[in-house]
Amino acid sequence: MKYSFQAVSFFLASFLFGGSVTAFTPSKFSRTFASKTSSSRVVVRKGVDRSLLSAKSPEHSLDQQPYADLYVRSPRPTYIPGRIDDPDYVRIFDTTLRDGEQSPGATLTSSEKLEIARQLAKLGVDIIEAGFPIASPDDFSAVKQIADIVGHEVFDDGYVPVICGLSRANERDIARAWEAVRGAKRPRVHTFIATSEIHMKNKLNKTPEQVIEIATHAVRYAKSLGCDDIEFSPEDAGRSDPEYLYKILEAVIEAGATTLNIPPGGV
């Protein structure tokens, strides 16, 4: 079985990329990048909903070539957890609603989160990390609402986003995350634990062997709840011993993890 390694997240994507980020294949990137760096600020990409684009630049009319064909969503491989049948396909994992909200002044209401999730779906984002359900009752409700609504809004081409909830590597967190996202057509639980020596010793007060046991138990527990799409992150991977990283990542894969996220620092 092939495993998808997602080591990149998109923070506040709508601001950083002029209002549009979508999954793309490398063969399409050169045209996408060229349009992004043109004199106009209109961004033209495959999968972008027409309503999201500015009408202030007539030289980039939707009816003019070579731009018109860019508005047709590219075919994407069937979503299977832990597997991408097209080796050129890039899955986009967006954390705007979870990590992005931790930015100063970026607190969002549940209705605002729902609207952002809908716009991310219009952009074609593959996985939307909707929040950290254990953090508060409001965050749980917002994630559940997104899973129950956006996680069921299937587009004409069959696309529907994966809705993901973050959890620490303990049963209480994981159960709460699963309860929030399980209503989506494609639910995912993302669990994490620190793997750097300084974090294991001073924050967790655990040995490396104990951390591996905690991580694998977390993955097995999520799987036992009925979740078949499980993401694992080794927090502070940038300061972790590479050989130890290989060991814990292999262990969580064997336990049932389908996606590995390798963050250099925090998750």
Side-chain angles (χ1 to χ4, degrees):
M1 178 178 287
K2 298 179 182 178
Y3 293 89
S4 56
F5 290 75
Q6 294 168 302
V8 62
S9 298
F10 284 72
F11 302 107
L12 297 176
S14 60
F15 296 102
L16 295 176
F17 290 88
S20 57
V21 172
T22 187
F24 56 85
T25 60
S27 62
K28 304 296 183 183
F29 182 72
S30 59
R31 287 194 297 171
T32 301
F33 184 75
S35 63
K36 171 68 174 144
T37 56
S38 66
S39 59
S40 171
R41 291 189 61 81
V42 174
V43 181
V44 285
R45 297 168 187 259
K46 280 187 177 293
V48 178
D49 187 86
R50 291 169 181 247
S51 65
L52 300 177
L53 296 171
S54 168
K56 296 180 180 179
S57 300
E59 69 272 21
H60 285 173
S61 169
L62 298 181
D63 298 322
Q64 294 179 4
Q65 293 292 343
Y67 303 106
D69 65 322
L70 294 177
Y71 294 91
V72 178
R73 196 194 295 273
S74 295
R76 65 182 73 205
T78 301
Y79 184 80
I80 302 173
R83 173 176 158 186
I84 303 177
D85 290 329
D86 180 353
D88 291 327
Y89 188 78
V90 177
R91 278 182 182 161
I92 301 300
F93 175 70
D94 188 282
T95 68
T96 301
L97 293 172
R98 199 273 304 169
D99 206 9
E101 196 191 17
Q102 294 177 358
S103 302
T107 302
L108 302 168
T109 65
S110 294
S111 61
E112 288 170 337
K113 289 181 180 180
L114 178 61
E115 179 58 25
I116 290 173
R118 278 182 159 150
Q119 296 304 320
L120 289 171
K122 284 185 178 181
L123 294 173
V125 168
D126 296 272
I127 303 102
I128 298 173
E129 189 170 64
F132 195 178
I134 198 69
S136 70
D138 286 345
D139 210 22
F140 172 84
S141 297
V143 175
K144 190 175 189 307
Q145 182 181 44
I146 290 168
D148 293 346
I149 297 176
V150 181
H152 279 269
E153 293 177 341
V154 183
F155 285 66
D156 291 342
D157 61 357
Y159 157 80
V160 62
V162 174
I163 306 300
C164 176
L166 183 69
S167 72
R168 291 165 297 188
N170 65 68
E171 292 187 2
R172 182 168 173 265
D173 273 36
I174 292 167
R176 191 66 167 164
W178 176 241
E179 186 180 354
V181 302
R182 66 184 300 175
K185 283 185 173 294
R186 294 174 178 166
R188 174 186 289 193
V189 169
H190 177 193
T191 189
F192 69 94
I193 192 170
T195 54
S196 64
E197 182 179 2
I198 189 170
H199 277 213
M200 289 189 290
K201 180 179 179 180
N202 298 321
K203 184 174 78 171
L204 301 177
N205 194 28
K206 301 292 183 183
T207 66
E209 291 72 22
Q210 287 175 320
V211 169
I212 290 177
E213 176 56 34
I214 292 169
T216 54
H217 176 75
V219 172
R220 287 193 297 267
Y221 180 69
K223 192 173 181 179
S224 74
L225 296 177
C227 182
D228 63 358
D229 193 350
I230 304 164
E231 180 173 349
F232 174 78
S233 290
E235 184 186 8
D236 203 26
R239 294 191 293 177
S240 300
D241 175 66
E243 292 298 327
Y244 180 68
L245 272 183
Y246 305 151
K247 187 176 180 180
I248 194 170
L249 294 177
E250 183 178 21
V252 295
I253 288 173
E254 291 177 355
T258 53
T259 296
L260 303 178
N261 176 51
I262 317 294
V267 177

